[in-house]
Amino acid sequence: MLDLIIIGAGPAGLSAAEAAVEAGLDYLVIEKGTIANTIRQYPVGRAMFSTPNEVEMHEGTLKPVREKPTREEMLSHYIHFVLDLDLRINTAEKVISVNGNIHEGFAIKTDASEYKARRVLFAIGAMEKPRHLNIPGEDLPKVHHLFVEPYAFVRKDALVVGGGNSAAEAALFLSEEGARTTLAIWREDWENRDPKAGAMKHWVRTPLEAEVEAGRLKVVLYKHVDEMRETEVTLTTETGESLTIPNDVVFVLVGSDADLTLLKQLGVQTEAGKLAEVPVYDPETFETNVRGIYVAGHFTHARHIKAAIDVPRRIVPLIARELKSKS
Ligand SMILES: Cc1cc2nc3c(=O)[nH]c(=O)nc-3n(C[C@H](O)[C@H](O)[C@H](O)COP(=O)(O)OP(=O)(O)OC[C@H]3O[C@@H](n4cnc5c(N)ncnc54)[C@H](O)[C@@H]3O)c2cc1C
């Protein structure tokens, strides 16, 4: 019987693992992908929006070449954090069910093994379920819901659908690297200048507008995409016209949601958050309504990397104190 199982090895899970070591807990992190799997899925070479102090595991330990770290510098930082502390992490192992209760302990089943733990911390992020448009042709092999690199699409007709920073960055990177790119975006997103309302960052918008100005990138203000076919896409513009454009590749980047299935199966309640459905939890302890089940990171109200790192440092010592008072 372990003291604590942590599901997910993103910034939240890694921070929790270190806190578990410091609190003397017998713990294990289970990660379905790799260390910092979400960050590994960022576009190649991407610079973070955040400065080092907002994403590093300890002050002064992330030293990017420029002001903001790149995806690669981030990955190296988190990997060396794990190696230096020799954290216990099983990668390439997916948790498929969690059952039990605080009195008898929890049974954690993965696609490789089974474990028992007195407490479980879900640090599963919010990338599991990319949102779909649910239109005909969206299942074609040329349609992607994640953008990693532009280099395969030089001189191809690329369509990016979405209004946030991920879509804007993908359109920018594709256009800069020679793809004939169209960005389909709603007017309200294109005109949004409010950073608090998720507006495109200005350092993305400025070069994006330069690409438009130079005639390399086309922006289509659209109402909805109607159909994707092998060689073209049909969409309806904001003025109601049907537009068919030649197309080799599509990126649908309209956000993603956490998979809350395991939590719900345990009886954890959820509520509507500002941007997505979130589990109900105590804001001090991050314990859910199911005793012994905790949450941290991007699928809670504490969404950014800084909060994902800070919260486990507060709550894991509380878990340790409670466990020690019982043994
Ligand atoms: C393109 C992009 C750019 C971003 N840029 C920034 C930025 O500049 N600054 C910033 O602060 N934030 C940024 N974010 C958000 C940032 O990535 C998240 O806030 C951060 O990753 C949250 O950390 P986390 O540990 O909560 O979740 P994650 O990093 O998502 O980690 C969750 C982990 O859980 C694993 N997992 C999930 N389910 C299971 C399961 N059943 N079994 C085992 N493992 C499981 C996943 O594989 C994943 O590794 C960006 C996000 C994206 C997508």
Side-chain angles (χ1 to χ4, degrees):
M1 177 80 85
L2 292 159
D3 291 325
L4 179 65
I5 284 229
I6 300 158
I7 309 176
L14 299 183
S15 169
E18 184 193 32
V21 172
E22 282 174 0
L25 294 180
D26 194 8
Y27 76 98
L28 175 67
V29 182
I30 304 177
E31 163 59 54
K32 73 179 167 63
T34 59
I35 296 162
N37 205 47
T38 292
I39 289 150
R40 198 167 56 82
Q41 292 176 49
Y42 289 177
V44 169
R46 175 186 184 267
M48 296 298 289
F49 296 154
S50 315
T51 44
N53 62 310
E54 295 170 314
V55 294
E56 63 196 354
M57 297 305 294
H58 288 291
E59 203 184 327
T61 54
L62 174 58
K63 298 187 178 74
V65 172
R66 299 207 173 86
E67 185 202 353
K68 293 182 176 167
T70 60
R71 162 191 183 265
E72 287 70 19
E73 287 170 328
M74 294 280 288
L75 280 172
S76 180
H77 177 70
Y78 293 126
I79 287 166
H80 283 279
F81 178 78
V82 170
L83 296 177
D84 292 350
L85 294 178
D86 198 17
L87 297 177
R88 239 180 274 150
I89 302 179
N90 290 1
T91 53
E93 185 171 341
K94 182 173 182 171
V95 174
I96 52 177
S97 73
V98 181
N99 292 298
N101 58 53
I102 195 163
H103 308 294
E104 281 129 42
F106 296 95
I108 296 93
K109 201 167 170 208
T110 71
D111 53 9
S113 192
E114 282 181 42
Y115 307 87
K116 285 215 85 176
R118 298 165 78 192
R119 301 290 182 270
V120 181
L121 171 61
F122 281 76
I124 54 175
M127 291 290 287
E128 193 63 17
K129 296 200 293 185
R131 291 186 194 148
H132 284 56
L133 302 173
N134 300 315
I135 58 163
E138 200 174 358
D139 54 352
L140 285 169
K142 71 169 187 179
V143 182
H144 306 271
H145 295 82
L146 184 72
F147 173 78
V148 179
E149 52 109 351
Y151 306 107
F153 310 108
V154 180
R155 292 183 173 151
K156 304 271 185 209
D157 289 304
L159 172 70
V160 179
V161 183
N165 281 293
S166 292
E169 275 186 334
L172 173 63
F173 294 166
L174 284 160
S175 180
E176 282 181 338
E177 301 304 337
R180 293 182 293 268
T181 310
T182 302
L183 171 64
I185 184 167
W186 287 333
R187 179 178 287 280
E188 66 196 75
D189 290 328
W190 183 242
E191 291 180 352
N192 181 8
R193 294 287 196 280
D194 179 2
K196 287 201 187 98
M200 231 177 259
K201 305 283 183 196
H202 68 84
W203 58 86
V204 179
R205 181 180 282 276
T206 304
L208 192 77
E209 286 179 347
E211 286 297 297
V212 176
E213 192 71 18
R216 287 189 290 267
L217 173 69
K218 217 167 146 195
V219 172
V220 173
L221 300 177
Y222 82 115
K223 216 185 260 176
H224 44 81
V225 184
D226 300 301
E227 190 176 353
M228 295 165 182
R229 292 183 291 275
E230 289 291 344
T231 57
E232 57 193 18
V233 171
T234 302
L235 46 83
T236 302
T237 67
E238 64 166 5
T239 50
E241 289 145 42
S242 178
L243 180 69
T244 298
I245 50 175
N247 179 258
D248 299 306
V249 64
V250 182
F251 294 94
V252 177
L253 303 172
V254 292
S256 63
D257 294 299
D259 185 350
L260 302 177
T261 313
L262 299 184
L263 285 162
K264 285 182 183 172
Q265 281 167 354
L266 272 162
V268 172
Q269 286 158 7
T270 63
E271 61 187 0
K274 216 168 111 194
L275 298 167
E277 185 183 9
V278 287
V280 175
Y281 58 88
D282 180 314
E284 291 302 311
T285 62
F286 283 66
E287 187 173 19
T288 65
N289 59 294
V290 177
R291 295 279 337 271
I293 299 292
Y294 294 79
V295 290
H298 201 74
F299 71 111
T300 67
H301 296 288
R303 288 178 69 83
H304 286 290
I305 294 183
K306 183 144 183 28
I309 293 171
D310 287 347
V311 166
R313 289 187 176 147
R314 283 207 325 266
I315 64 169
V316 172
L318 300 178
I319 296 172
R321 207 175 309 150
E322 200 224 320
L323 284 176
K324 278 182 191 137
S325 73
K326 291 220 159 75
S327 55

